[in-house]
Amino acid sequence: MVEIKNDAALDAMREAGRIVAQALAAARDAAGVGVSLLELDEVAREVLDKAGAGSPFLGYRPSFASTPFPAVLCTSVNDAIVHGIPTAYRLRDGDLVSLDFGAELDGWTGDAAISFTVGTPRPEDTALIAATQRAIDAGIAAAVAGGRLGDISAAVGRVAAQAGCGMPADFGGHGIGRRMHEDPHVPNRGRAGRGFKLRHGLTLAIEPMLLSGGSDDYGVDGDGWTLRTTDGSRAAHIEHTIAVTDDGPRVLTAL
């Protein structure tokens, strides 16, 4: 069931989204050569604690997971696509890092992700992150009242195809609001003009995940969570929670 939110709910979701943006910015600022992924998770926890917010990630256990997620921050490095569990791994010069984070505040949820490089960037990583940014920008631009869900999917998929990038077919964006994952599912590929009609108050998490090798194939690590490219190519993941409004798309997780 898809829940359409009123304007007060959108404002409340914006407050949750603001915390998400602050935590991701703090974790990115803390990331550097020699910093561990566990330390980044601690930075994100501190932002939650200061805001009096909760984590929709900590303890989350969807049907595909063998164990609950043990952290508040997903940390995916290099060939890890999404859902990376923070470990004692210390970042190295040139690592490509994707951070995914959520916050719950006053019964409403925000969810977003960023990708960046640590230290000296590789040109191909810079291009991959830029393509992922173009993909989410296109998806957000297509999230207009009166359109269709397929418009968003088609826009994201078109940019990925133009960049020669793969995307894991089983994963995409989702509805969001009182819970982190709600209807509808938002595929990263689709046909324009098809699917659920977009209307004022619909809230979605749009999240392209681009694989630089061009293949859609991925595997799951032994931790039951981390998705990783099967060809060893690098991946980038950028996400925002947005609201469809009569005045155009509203990004609820902008800094």
Side-chain angles (χ1 to χ4, degrees), residues 6-171:
N6 60 30
D7 288 346
L10 297 186
D11 289 342
M13 287 185 66
R14 170 57 179 149
E15 293 310 307
R18 201 183 308 276
I19 296 167
V20 173
Q22 291 169 350
L24 288 173
R28 179 172 185 165
D29 287 346
V33 175
V35 175
S36 77
L37 301 181
L38 284 170
E39 289 172 318
L40 298 185
D41 184 69
E42 186 58 35
V43 168
R45 288 174 188 258
E46 289 174 0
V47 173
L48 280 179
D49 290 345
K50 184 177 179 179
S55 170
F57 287 18
L58 184 63
Y60 182 59
R61 187 179 179 182
S63 58
F64 66 79
S66 58
T67 59
F69 195 77
V72 303
L73 183 70
C74 293
T75 55
S76 305
V77 180
N78 296 332
D79 61 338
I81 306 167
V82 287
H83 302 161
I85 295 176
T87 66
Y89 174 83
R90 295 192 176 276
L91 294 170
R92 302 170 183 172
D93 186 58
D95 277 347
L96 194 166
V97 181
S98 296
L99 303 179
D100 191 355
F101 182 79
E104 295 174 336
L105 183 70
D106 298 329
W108 297 100
T109 308
D111 184 14
I114 58 174
S115 287
F116 58 92
T117 52
V118 172
T120 308
R122 306 193 320 177
E124 54 268 40
D125 290 345
T126 300
L128 175 64
I129 294 169
T132 310
Q133 185 65 56
R134 291 196 303 273
I136 191 169
D137 288 346
I140 293 171
V144 295
R148 296 282 180 175
L149 194 65
D151 299 344
I152 299 172
S153 303
V156 170
R158 187 179 308 113
V159 173
Q162 290 170 346
C165 293
M167 291 190 292
D170 301 327
F171 290 85

